[in-house]
Amino acid sequence: ETGVTQSPTHLIKTRGQQVTLRCSSQSGHNTVSWYQQALGQGPQFIFQYYREEENGRGNFPPRFSGLQFPNYSSELNVNALELDDSALYLCASSLELEYEQYFGPGTRLTVT
Amino acid sequence: EDQVTQSPEALRLQEGESSSLNCSYTVSGLRGLFWYRQDPGKGPEFLFTLYSAGEEKEKERLKATLTKKESFLHITAPKPEDSATYLCAVRLNTGFQKLVFGTGTRLLVSP
């Protein structure tokens, strides 16, 4: 069984640019959540998708947006990148809403 | 405000020296407490879920316990490969499955 995968592994962008991060859920999982983890901090919830619909959102501005596809893979899009967006972006999937979340390896984003 | 606090921030143990990590929380409506292990530069690895006070879960050298206000992760006779950051998270009683994380405890086990 394949776990949660994310791409790319690392990314360097310039302030003001846009970025798309991708996530493939664990097989059979219909719920995907995205988190931002700054260095030395715990992950912060960005938003969650359940069966292709946004199901909840944390305290992140609208320039953070996402999609979930029919195969339950997901994208995180960030527009107008700021220096503070530099972080590890984590995707987590779960079998259903009430089940435990399994995390991918993350995408390290650096904004210069 | 919902809050999760972990202590200590960092812990250094000798191999075989047992200890406990603490996770205290103040949340409105708990629907599960989770422990994760995170190695540097990697995603968190799921360890345990606890739902009600008095519940205990074990896995190899790790045992997690839960009270109404805090959880403990007990590490018995740790080995160097147990070195990692241990994260605690709570799931809130909202309409969606949001996890609120603490900042973690960095554990270093020396041979």
Side-chain angles (χ1 to χ4, degrees):
Chain A
E1 182 177 293
T2 306
V4 179
T5 60
Q6 292 185 244
S7 63
T9 305
H10 297 92
L11 203 52
I12 300 174
K13 288 286 190 178
T14 303
R15 190 171 51 184
Q17 286 187 317
Q18 178 267 342
V19 69
T20 298
L21 310 181
R22 294 179 174 81
C23 169
S24 290
S25 303
Q26 195 163 321
S27 178
H29 288 195
N30 60 23
T31 305
V32 172
S33 303
W34 285 91
Y35 293 82
Q36 180 195 66
Q37 186 176 25
L39 207 58
Q41 300 297 313
Q44 298 288 316
F45 177 78
I46 303 175
F47 45 57
Q48 180 181 84
Y49 281 83
Y50 173 65
R51 295 182 182 272
E52 302 179 59
E53 297 286 332
E54 185 177 296
N55 189 49
R57 190 176 185 92
N59 294 327
F60 281 81
R63 59 189 185 84
F64 285 78
S65 63
L67 282 173
Q68 188 181 30
F69 300 101
N71 66 355
Y72 300 137
S73 65
S74 178
E75 283 183 358
L76 164 65
N77 298 292
V78 187
N79 293 323
L81 283 167
E82 300 177 0
L83 297 179
D84 284 348
D85 295 333
S86 296
L88 182 67
Y89 287 85
L90 296 162
C91 163
S93 73
S94 56
L95 189 60
E96 284 286 344
L97 279 174
E98 291 294 311
Y99 285 67
E100 58 272 6
Q101 296 182 17
Y102 292 89
F103 284 81
T107 293
R108 171 71 62 187
L109 173 65
T110 302
V111 182
T112 62
Chain B
E1 182 184 344
D2 301 312
Q3 198 165 2
V4 178
T5 303
Q6 292 189 245
S7 62
E9 287 186 9
L11 181 62
R12 187 163 189 158
L13 299 174
Q14 291 294 314
E15 186 172 0
E17 180 186 1
S18 301
S19 188
S20 296
L21 313 182
N22 177 264
C23 170
S24 62
Y25 56 91
T26 50
V27 299
S28 52
L30 180 72
R31 294 186 68 181
L33 184 140
F34 301 79
W35 282 98
Y36 286 86
R37 168 194 169 126
Q38 187 173 28
D39 293 303
K42 297 189 177 181
E45 173 190 345
F46 172 74
L47 294 174
F48 303 110
T49 309
L50 302 166
Y51 289 104
S52 54
E55 190 174 358
E56 298 183 353
K57 293 271 181 76
E58 282 190 71
K59 179 181 180 180
E60 296 181 354
R61 296 177 291 282
L62 301 177
K63 183 168 86 171
T65 62
L66 182 65
T67 71
K68 287 186 178 180
K69 293 293 182 187
E70 60 190 348
S71 176
F72 292 93
L73 184 66
H74 308 278
I75 304 177
T76 303
K79 297 182 177 182
E81 53 262 40
D82 294 321
S83 298
T85 295
Y86 290 85
L87 294 165
C88 166
V90 297
R91 183 167 65 197
L92 305 182
N93 189 19
T94 61
F96 53 95
Q97 201 192 132
K98 171 184 176 179
L99 295 182
V100 177
F101 281 85
T103 54
T105 294
R106 293 189 314 277
L107 173 66
L108 178 62
V109 182
S110 303

